[in-house]
Amino acid sequence: AGLNKLLREKLAKLESDCCNQLISWEEDSIATRESVAGRKLALSSLITTLDDLDGELESMEMWLLDRTAAVKPLTDDCALIEEENNALEQTWRSYASLTTEMDRLLNGLEIDEELQAVLKDPLSTLLGSNANNSSRHINLDDIDDS
């Protein structure tokens, strides 16, 4: 949209500059001519030149519209990617904050050595002396809730 606007502005300025130059040339030409027929011919030439310029500008505008239509899906995709990227960055910042807070909380906990052993190897506590027997099936009803 920005490129299209910039090019349209440049086209408008170009058209304005061309028209002003053509009018200036025509005024100079008319001032030097004495006959009415010469003025009519010069005016006809100016109108033809302006019509040609108008046709070229219209053609250029159509070309720009075609290019804008071709680029729009790409800019839409880029906008979606940027939006998704922003969401991922926010998620990453949230996880980093959560990690910092969890570290702070966990560092403040004091756990005795027996509980640390259970946390490091819970299976050995559940199976007791049969921790090395991998074929034993654990039945939750056998576990004491005390």
Side-chain angles (χ1 to χ4, degrees):
L3 175 64
N4 194 13
K5 181 180 177 187
L6 176 69
L7 290 175
R8 284 179 192 249
E9 290 172 0
K10 285 188 176 192
L11 282 174
K13 183 173 180 350
L14 176 64
E15 181 180 16
S16 174
D17 290 346
C18 287
C19 288
N20 288 337
Q21 185 63 42
L22 287 171
I23 290 170
S24 174
W25 288 344
E26 193 60 34
E27 288 174 352
D28 291 342
S29 175
I30 290 173
T32 58
R33 294 186 188 134
E34 296 181 2
S35 70
V36 173
R39 288 184 191 156
K40 286 182 183 180
L41 182 61
L43 186 57
S44 174
S45 174
L46 175 62
I47 291 172
T48 302
T49 303
L50 289 175
D51 284 342
D52 291 345
L53 180 61
D54 187 48
E56 287 182 34
L57 290 173
E58 187 174 326
S59 172
M60 191 178 271
E61 187 173 354
M62 292 303 295
W63 181 85
L64 284 173
L65 289 174
D66 288 344
R67 296 305 166 257
T68 300
V71 171
K72 179 151 179 37
L74 297 173
T75 56
D76 290 347
D77 288 346
C78 287
L80 289 174
I81 290 169
E82 184 176 357
E83 187 176 307
E84 190 173 320
N85 190 33
N86 289 340
L88 289 172
E89 285 179 10
Q90 180 59 42
T91 301
W92 179 81
R93 284 193 294 272
S94 296
Y95 283 140
S97 296
L98 179 62
T99 300
T100 302
E101 190 62 24
M102 290 297 292
D103 284 343
R104 187 185 68 76
L105 290 172
L106 291 174
N107 286 333
L109 290 178
E110 291 185 23
I111 301 173
D112 64 40
E113 289 183 22
E114 283 182 27
L115 290 176
Q116 284 182 11
V118 171
L119 289 173
K120 288 180 181 177
D121 189 10
L123 189 59
S124 68
T125 303
L126 292 174
L127 298 176
S129 63
N130 294 326
N132 293 330
N133 185 358
S134 60
S135 65
R136 181 171 178 186
H137 179 69
I138 299 173
N139 187 350
L140 294 178
D141 294 330
D142 295 339
I143 299 174
D144 186 15
D145 289 343
S146 55

